[in-house]
């Protein structure tokens, strides 16, 4: 069920109070039992959830009401605060500019939906949460923020009922089917200025079924599936969240393994280059290296080991922020996260993806159509159809540069190294046996 919460704007008070006491950010974080990143976010004027604000207020010997301006109403699941994001300043500025344009634009023909798309593990949910907690977001959407995380098989009726309950009129849609409930809720919100955040969309029809918003609202959705973004193009625009640059990747690794990067800068840079800028892979590697460092291991060995065999990351635990979506899995590993992208493939397409694990492309893993046709032992037209399905599921991408000419057969394609490792794991588990036996 959805739950209600508030995020509070700070207006610079925490910085002033900390300076008056002569404390560093680390000292305030320690006294409040919070992370330094939470203090940094608060002092930047971005939103805090009530629990964090109460902890800071207690450390400062104040009431939380003394610290905030006005709360922003959240209806739905409060996405976890990701802390300050690395390497996303440009994308964040683009969205804030879009929010401002929507609020100042009187044209009724404008599109008020953006669909954030990117590789599994690139950080789409964290980026969305970061947007929701910005002070300017709260200012531009004074009537609140409605959130929902859908997943593969969402309970849309429960989502709408939860929003209605949180907004204060559950009886309005009592005993209604989904279509009627959405219509009645839309009528109540027609004059409101609300931001809708719809995370983890796997089917365009799920999002379309939740259209309770008016022209005054904005909708930001996330998906890992290019086909979902394409199918929703009549409602809004696609926004690709790209992989991190080498510089930002190294900074992210430094956040999670500062001692390692300080002592081994060159090997650390080589590692993040091998991980190809994927946020999930870098975070998991950083925590792994920090654990090994704290236990007194010789870290050069583990840096070399990760570079030579990135498949080890698949068996490591997923980040804490991702554990909720893995409740159905016995072991909440990185491999379990990636399985969400392959479990809902049809058996033949999943077998073809797993068979790609037998292909040994250099890094970065780029190839042309004839390469996979050879791996799958299929004619080129059939290979193209299968490859298109895998692209639609976000497992491959068309490289921006063409190999030769402009014909489809000459495009270069790209798959992230971590997904190559996932394909090899599926291959070892026998997923491609039926294909290879043919």
């Amino acid at each position: 069920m959805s739950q209600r919460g508030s995020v509070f704007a700070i207006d610079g008070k925490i910085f002033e109070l900390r300076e008056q006491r002569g404390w560093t950010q680390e000292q305030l974080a320690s006294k409040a039992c919070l992370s330094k990143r939470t203090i940094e976010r608060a002092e930047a004027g971005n939103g805090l959830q009530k629990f964090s604000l109460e902890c800071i207020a207690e450390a400062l010997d104040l009431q939380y009401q003394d610290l905030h301006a006005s709360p922003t109403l959240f209806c739905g699941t409060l996405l976890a605060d990701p802390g300050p994001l690395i390497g996303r300043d440009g994308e964040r500025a683009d969205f804030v500019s879009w929010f401002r344009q929507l609020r100042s634009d009187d044209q009724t023909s404008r599109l008020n939906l953006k669909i954030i798309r990117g590789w599994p593990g690139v950080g789409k949910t964290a980026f969305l949460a970061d947007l929701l907690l910005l002070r300017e977001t709260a200012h531009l959407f004074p009537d609140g923020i409605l959130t929902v995380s859908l997943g593969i098989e969402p309970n849309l009726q429960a989502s709408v009922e939860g929003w209605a309950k949180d907004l204060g009129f559950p009886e309005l849609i009592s005993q209604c089917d989904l279509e009627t409930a959405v219509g009645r809720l839309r009528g109540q919100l027609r004059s409101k200025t609300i931001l809708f955040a719809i995370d983890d969309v796997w089917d365009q029809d799920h999002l379309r079924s939740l259209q309770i918003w008016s022209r005054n609202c904005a909708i930001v959705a996330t998906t890992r599936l290019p086909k979902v973004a394409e199918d929703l193009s009549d409602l809004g625009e696609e926004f690709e969240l790209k992989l991190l640059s080498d510089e930002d990747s190294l900074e992210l690794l430094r956040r999670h393994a500062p001692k390692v990067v300080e002592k081994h800068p060159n090997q650390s840079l080589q590692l993040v280059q091998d991980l190809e800028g994927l946020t999930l892979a870098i975070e998991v590697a950083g925590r792994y290296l920090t654990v090994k460092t704290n236990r007194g291991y010789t870290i050069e060995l583990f840096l070399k080991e990760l570079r030579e065999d990135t498949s080890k990351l698949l068996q490591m635990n997923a980040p804490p922020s991702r554990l909720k979506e893995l409740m159905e899995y016995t072991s909440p590993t990185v491999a379990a996260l990636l399985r969400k992208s392959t479990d809902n493939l049809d058996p033949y397409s999943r077998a073809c993806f797993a068979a790609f694990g037998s292909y040994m492309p250099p890094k970065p893993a780029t190839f042309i159509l004839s390469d996979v046709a050879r791996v799958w032992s299929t004619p080129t037209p059939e290979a193209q159809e299968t490859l298109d399905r895998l692209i639609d599921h976000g497992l491959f991408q068309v490289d921006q540069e063409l190999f030769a000419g402009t014909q489809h057969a000459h495009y270069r394609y790209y798959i992230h190294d971590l997904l190559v490792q996932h394909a090899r794991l599926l291959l070892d588990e026998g997923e491609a046996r039926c294909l290879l036996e043919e």
Side-chain angles (χ1 to χ4, degrees), residues 239-301:
F239 183 94
E240 183 182 359
L241 196 64
K242 296 184 180 297
L243 298 167
L244 295 176
S245 67
D246 288 351
E247 181 181 358
D248 291 330
S249 296
L250 186 62
E251 184 59 31
L252 180 60
L253 185 65
R254 181 179 287 109
R255 172 181 288 177
H256 291 281
K259 294 178 182 178
V260 174
V261 176
E262 180 180 1
K263 190 172 181 180
H264 307 283
N266 293 332
Q267 297 96 317
S268 297
L269 176 59
Q270 292 170 345
L271 174 62
V272 298
Q273 288 172 338
D274 286 337
L275 298 179
E276 299 179 8
L278 190 69
T279 302
L280 171 66
I282 297 166
E283 289 179 347
V284 171
R287 285 197 305 276
Y288 171 77
L289 291 170
T290 290
V291 168
K292 295 301 183 183
T293 299
N294 292 341
R295 292 178 181 176
Y297 287 96
T298 303
I299 210 63
E300 292 96 329
L301 173 66

Side-chain angles (χ1 to χ4, degrees), residues 96-114:
V96 171
S97 176
W98 177 65
F99 288 156
R100 290 178 189 149
Q101 182 181 355
L102 286 179
R103 296 293 293 116
S104 62
D105 189 356
D106 294 329
Q107 297 180 18
T108 58
S109 62
R110 72 186 189 277
L111 298 175
N112 54 353
L113 166 69
K114 276 195 186 291

Side-chain angles (χ1 to χ4, degrees), residues 3-4 10 68 72 133 178 181-182 186 231 244 287-288 312 328 334 338 370 395 431:
Q3 59 185 14
R4 182 176 178 173
I10 309 303
H68 73 79
T72 297
L133 293 171
L178 179 61
V182 166
R186 185 188 303 121
D231 290 343
L244 295 176
R287 285 197 305 276
Y288 171 77
K312 291 183 178 296
E328 75 262 33
V334 173
L338 298 180
S370 60
L395 298 168
E431 284 284 359

Side-chain angles (χ1 to χ4, degrees), residues 21-32:
R21 289 162 174 74
W23 296 347
T24 64
Q25 289 181 333
E26 290 85 352
Q27 288 173 318
L28 177 55
S30 176
K31 294 175 187 292

Side-chain angles (χ1 to χ4, degrees), residues 271 275 280-292 302-303 305-307 309-320 323 326 331-338 418 425:
L271 174 62
L275 298 179
L280 171 66
I282 297 166
E283 289 179 347
V284 171
R287 285 197 305 276
Y288 171 77
L289 291 170
T290 290
V291 168
K292 295 301 183 183
F302 292 100
L303 278 166
E305 182 181 68
L306 280 180
R307 287 200 61 213
D309 185 9
T310 52
S311 67
K312 291 183 178 296
L313 293 174
L314 295 176
Q315 305 309 322
M316 297 179 189
N317 285 336
L323 295 182
L326 297 175
S331 180
T333 60
V334 173
L337 275 175
L338 298 180
L418 200 62
L425 179 62

Side-chain angles (χ1 to χ4, degrees), residues 348-394:
Y348 179 76
S349 296
R350 187 165 59 249
C352 286
F353 176 78
F356 193 84
S358 65
Y359 181 55
M360 301 293 288
K363 293 183 181 181
T366 63
F367 56 93
I368 58 176
L369 181 59
S370 60
D371 294 329
V372 289
R374 187 165 53 252
V375 170
W376 297 334
S377 301
T378 58
T380 298
E382 186 176 325
Q384 183 67 70
E385 291 178 3
T386 302
L387 186 56
D388 285 344
R389 286 195 296 275
L390 295 173
I391 290 172
D392 286 342
H393 279 76

